[in-house]
Amino acid sequence: MNNSQISLWNYLREFTRVYLLISINLTVLMVICLVFLDVLLPLQWIAYVVRLSIGANIGKSFYSKHKQHPNTKALVKLAVFCCLIAFIIDGVSAYLSLPNLDRMFESPFWALSILLVTQTSSFGLIWCGLKQGMRAAEKAEIDCIS
């Protein structure tokens, strides 16, 4: 199958489903720990680990299904759309959980710089996760054959 014939929608749906479920579960866990145990969990960096691991799982399933690496354009497109999905989910959850969010972004310069840094790192982590998952699936297949 040619790379241009591979649909990325299934992988975007998988990323959305898993990322949304993990985000909801982490929010529920944080609320339970805060309300019942009076403990604030330091989970501010967990979203980056989640993006890398979901990217690796999607890369592994992509390679397992198609037995090839996508071309660079398709890989970048998949990473950009996954990054956009993560941005939307994180934006909605931040808006719902932070009532003073408008005060945080009084300066457009700071708002744009924070957005640029977080989305660049998010894209990089998702892209690296996709590549890592594809390499791991390829290596597992080679080890299985030999």
Side-chain angles (χ1 to χ4, degrees):
M1 184 182 296
N2 190 2
N3 274 333
S4 63
Q5 297 173 344
I6 296 174
S7 175
L8 301 177
W9 289 110
N10 293 333
Y11 304 105
L12 288 173
R13 265 187 258 133
E14 182 181 348
F15 182 88
T16 304
R17 182 177 46 87
V18 173
Y19 193 77
L20 185 63
L21 288 174
I22 289 175
S23 296
I24 290 170
N25 286 330
L26 285 176
T27 304
V28 169
L29 178 69
M30 284 179 53
V31 169
I32 288 172
C33 286
L34 186 63
V35 170
F36 295 113
L37 303 174
D38 198 28
V39 174
L40 183 61
L41 296 177
L43 297 176
Q44 55 267 50
W45 302 108
I46 197 76
Y48 296 110
V49 175
V50 167
R51 290 173 184 157
L52 182 69
S53 61
I54 295 173
N57 286 336
I58 290 175
K60 188 180 287 189
S61 66
F62 185 94
Y63 187 83
S64 297
K65 182 177 181 180
H66 301 292
K67 304 294 186 216
Q68 66 178 357
H69 292 272
N71 58 14
T72 306
K73 184 178 176 183
L75 186 65
V76 168
K77 185 191 296 186
L78 181 60
V80 165
F81 283 130
C82 288
C83 184
L84 182 64
I85 289 168
F87 173 70
I88 291 170
I89 291 171
D90 289 344
V92 169
S93 65
Y95 180 76
L96 294 175
S97 64
L98 299 173
N100 296 334
L101 190 65
D102 56 341
R103 192 178 61 170
M104 188 170 123
F105 294 120
E106 287 177 353
S107 170
F109 172 75
W110 287 112
L112 287 175
S113 61
I114 290 171
L115 179 68
L116 183 64
V117 168
T118 57
Q119 291 309 303
T120 303
S121 62
S122 176
F123 170 79
L125 287 168
I126 292 169
W127 185 78
C128 287
L130 289 169
K131 294 290 277 186
Q132 179 184 13
M134 288 178 201
R135 286 189 197 123
E138 184 178 28
K139 184 177 182 202
E141 184 179 331
I142 290 172
D143 289 344
C144 184
I145 292 172
S146 58

